[in-house]
Amino acid sequence: MRKLLLCITLSLAGWAAANTQKCDDAFASSDFVTAYKECLPLARQGDGYAQAIIGYLYDFGVGGLPQDYTQAATWYQLAVQQNVALAFNNLGELYQYGLGVPQSDQKAFELFQKSSAQGNRKGQYLTGTFYELGKVTQRNYNKAVELYQKSANQGYPQAQNALGYMYENGYGVKRDVQQALNWYRKAADQGHAPAQYNVGYVYSYLLDPPNYPEAFKWIQKAAAQGQVDALVELGYMYQNGLGVTQDARQAIQWYNLAIDKDNARAYNNLGLMYRDGEGVQQDHKQALQLFQKATDLGSFYGPYNLAYMYYYGLGTAQDYSKAFQYFGQAAAKNYDEAQNYMGILYQFGRGVKQDHAQAIGWYQKAADQNNKYALYNLAFYYVSGTVVKQDYAKAAEYYRRSAEAGYGAAAAELGIMYLNGEGVPQDDKKALALFQQAAEAGDPKGQNNLGYMYDAGLGGIKQDYQKAAYWYEQAANQNYLLSISNLGLMYENGSGVPEDPSKAFDLYMKAAEQDDAWSQYRVGYLYFKGKGVTKDLKKAEEWLRKAVAQGSKEAQSTLDLLLVDAAPPSNPNTNTPNTTVTTSTPPANQIQLEILDPKPGAVVAENWVFLKVRTSKPVPNLEFRITVNGKPIGTNSRAIGITAATDYELAVPLDADAKTVNIEILAYQGGTLLGQNKLTVAHGKDNKNQFTPQGNLYILAVGIDEYKYVSKDRFLKYSVKDATDIVGELKKQQGIVYNNVYDFSLFNSQATWENIQAAMIRVQKLAKPEDTVIAFFSGHGEQMDGRYYVITYDTDPQYLRRTGLMQDELTEFYAGLQANTIVILDTCRAGGINGVRAISNPKMDGLVRALETTSNANPTPPNVKKVIFAATGGDSYAYEDTSWGNGAFTKAFLEALRGEKTVQNSQGLISILRLGAYLGERVPQLTGGKQIPNIQLSSSDWVIADPE
């Protein structure tokens, strides 16, 4: 836009005629009213200079004249015909901007050239801009520099500023920051605001080291003149304390002045202050509005920051689709951070259909700009072999570049590759150096691994427990579970730190409560030994069992030892047959313990016997310890049913080779023995008895292969078939084991959230204590915020919390059932809906624990039993095979239902305990130990099927 003050450059020094002097003096002193009065007659008489002045007065609407570009152009044209240089410039600008004349860059350029040819400094500058920008003529930086130099040598500040820009960027001349600064200073010293800003810019961004105080001085001068870039930069300098004392209030003030001029960068920067609560109260909604405005004004960073808000749900509902839209805008401007996020969105199918090829493409664009996160993400693809061929060497190269760009996590991963010799030569010393780099960058994995190197004395360093403990502690402070447990071990053993079992226990407990299996094992062990904590066998058993459930062999060994140690000494005469023994008048603090079933001398055909026991009075927290033929059994059996009941059912395993079985039962409350009894039975085979149907069976089977909102490449093969196969076998039990079998199955499009909810409610209402409920869920599962979700047919993964069948709904259904219940969970059989397999497999254990916990907290009839079968546990992965036509878990289940002899008792019937034992052994056998079911059984057995 043309500025009035920039155009008051007419010099009438050569106007010698006396009748022109008043016209000249009035215009030179900006007395435009007098100038009009004195110059108009001369202009009408054909004086070219006077015509140029009248044109100027109309051009800018001064001297009492209205602004009239048409009149201005008319007078300028008359002056041009008399070869007045400044008329060339001003008429050229009217053509350039289309003011009073048709817009024409060509005519403007021709007029500027004529002015330049006369040596006019403004004409030289304006002609140079056309050569620099390639407007009308071919771009020619050399010609532009030549013209800028001529104009600058005449002291024209705009040309001096333009020449500085050419030196700053190396356009038409060799890049020279010092020369750029010199020319910027010449223009700045004349008060040229853009040049003052540029001087400050050089001091801030182009000198090494920067000179922020000097930069602030010049930026402040430009800002005082209202130069918008300077207003923003001054706000930035106050915000970050560059060359001036940090002052958020001043920063906001200057940003607001720039916002008044609709500056996109000011909107964006102020948005960041509100987003982060920097100098203002954090306000995500306000930040969102500011980023939106910056985006609307074409800001480079605005779309990225706006997308970030939608991606994380800051100031608005989380919306991956909008995040995709705005990250796309920023990525299209070649902003590497946005390109990396585009890769993330495509990789995980957030806001867009999952497309690994697109993800890799966007990561590559960002990686080409050396974005450290994109390089790291590309490395993951080559490690995992997803879409691209697995290539450890290429992965190592990407990790190297990411690490060199300053990403500590990449250095940690590259260190592991050197430690293991994957994609690079095995080299402990390089691994050590990389772990050191990652650790110093604050990466917890790097800190832990560096601690490990000192712990083990690897990488050419001496073993140093103190340094190991130091680095373990740094990672533990970031809640890195492996380091928490490692540090606990250091305190337990006094390695590098003072021996402190109590401190060790606290660390183990912190990790154990976050489901770290090894720490759960150590918590149980310390409770068992009373080391660092008061000895407590109950708590020891509790934590050891949690670790065992995650596959800890150490925990299993310790648990076995605990149970043996907890059993009291056996009676040396237990091999002598006995009848039932009771105490006729027990002390006040004791109870009578009566064995109701089986009777003494009964023949037991199973390898299990289920004792029905009655106490003479209710006792809270009663425990039973049992020996069989003098040997403690492998469990510390507890009461089944309501706390403080008098009737109990105890499952006791028998030695398959023993013909006579002597059982001793001791009842404890805490560590106090309250009562005991003995029983002898015979162990032998019996003929199969006819089973009398008992109650009804209600089947709720949900099988989903196809989904409404999940991409087809994530559809499953055998979920529906698994469900229908199991339902088909169970229906055969009508009139055999169950009076009636009721089928509430839902498959594919039938299995909506609403239909599943309705079926669960109906089964809950119909099932009575004498009935059995089998609930089978097969399909996709996902985990978010520590909660597990079954993905129904109509679940939208973008809105998982709202549309998925959540853990709380399943636990409410399970807890509310008043019948014998079997829940079968096969919902992670093909990995998560993001397609990531094995390592990222959704954990079922949390759901299983939630089902158990909720059910135990809700009272059920005393004889009702509930069990849970999960196809996988911990991080194990559920397998399927076309040769089976089923998943491994279902195949094993069907084998049992179809007549597998090892599952049957002496009567040829399948009991729940035998089925659980078979599944626990058969599934790992089918999968080569890769899939381990999580099976939670009650201590009480019941028959569920007759395969014949």
Side-chain angles (χ1 to χ4, degrees), residues 592-612:
Q592 288 182 338
L593 188 61
E594 182 182 1
I595 301 175
L596 303 177
D597 188 64
K599 300 300 182 184
V603 177
V604 179
E606 300 296 311
N607 289 331
W608 288 81
V609 62
F610 296 92
L611 305 180
K612 291 186 178 179

Side-chain angles (χ1 to χ4, degrees), residues 300 330-340 362-375 378 401 405:
F300 183 84
K333 296 178 180 180
N334 208 32
Y335 185 34
D336 59 303
E337 293 289 350
Q339 291 168 338
N340 178 63
W362 283 109
Y363 286 145
Q364 190 65 63
K365 288 178 185 290
D368 290 343
Q369 300 187 65
N370 216 40
N371 182 279
K372 60 186 178 182
Y373 304 112
L375 290 164
L378 271 179
R401 289 176 57 193

Side-chain angles (χ1 to χ4, degrees), residues 8 126 130 170 193 347-348 379 449 459 469 495 511 537 576-578 606 622 664 703 710 730 750 756 758 927:
I8 303 178
L126 291 172
F130 273 68
Q347 180 177 352
F348 298 105
N449 293 354
S495 301
L537 297 184
T576 304
N578 281 282
E606 300 296 311
L622 192 64
E664 182 176 19
V710 176
L730 291 171
Q750 300 171 333
I756 295 172
T927 61

Side-chain angles (χ1 to χ4, degrees), residues 290-479:
L290 290 164
F291 291 145
Q292 183 68 64
K293 187 65 177 178
T295 300
D296 294 343
L297 290 169
S299 166
F300 183 84
Y301 296 106
Y304 171 81
N305 290 325
L306 187 58
Y308 184 92
M309 302 294 281
Y310 281 112
Y311 185 88
Y312 292 104
L314 303 176
T316 182
Q318 189 176 52
D319 190 330
Y320 288 134
S321 295
K322 286 189 176 179
F324 177 79
Q325 173 190 342
Y326 290 114
F327 277 137
Q329 287 185 25
K333 296 178 180 180
N334 208 32
Y335 185 34
D336 59 303
E337 293 289 350
Q339 291 168 338
N340 178 63
Y341 267 102
M342 288 293 285
I344 293 171
L345 292 170
Y346 272 111
Q347 180 177 352
F348 298 105
R350 296 170 180 167
V352 67
K353 182 180 179 181
Q354 187 179 49
D355 189 329
H356 290 293
Q358 282 276 12
I360 291 172
W362 283 109
Y363 286 145
Q364 190 65 63
K365 288 178 185 290
D368 290 343
Q369 300 187 65
N370 216 40
N371 182 279
K372 60 186 178 182
Y373 304 112
L375 290 164
Y376 181 89
N377 291 335
L378 271 179
F380 162 79
Y381 270 102
Y382 285 101
V383 168
S384 66
T386 304
V387 180
V388 296
K389 183 179 179 181
Q390 190 177 55
D391 189 332
Y392 285 120
K394 189 167 283 189
E397 175 61 16
Y398 282 124
Y399 280 139
R400 180 191 64 77
R401 289 176 57 193
S402 179
E404 289 177 353
Y407 193 30
E413 296 296 341
L414 185 59
I416 293 171
M417 298 187 84
Y418 273 107
L419 193 63
N420 298 325
E422 295 175 333
V424 291
Q426 199 282 331
D427 191 328
D428 287 359
K429 290 184 178 179
K430 284 189 176 180
L432 175 71
L434 287 161
F435 291 149
Q436 183 81 43
Q437 177 184 338
E440 291 175 354
D443 180 72
K445 181 181 283 189
Q447 292 168 338
N448 177 78
N449 293 354
L450 182 59
Y452 169 77
M453 300 296 278
Y454 278 111
D455 200 344
L458 298 175
I461 56 175
K462 291 182 179 180
Q463 194 173 49
D464 190 327
Y465 290 135
Q466 286 186 329
K467 288 184 178 179
Y470 171 79
W471 287 111
Y472 286 150
E473 185 170 21
Q474 299 309 302
N477 289 339
Q478 297 190 63
N479 204 38

Side-chain angles (χ1 to χ4, degrees), residues 194-217:
Q196 292 171 336
Y197 167 78
N198 287 337
V199 170
Y201 183 90
V202 171
Y203 279 120
S204 279
Y205 297 104
L206 301 184
L207 295 185
D208 188 16
N211 187 337
Y212 290 123
E214 192 69 14
F216 179 81
K217 180 180 75 175

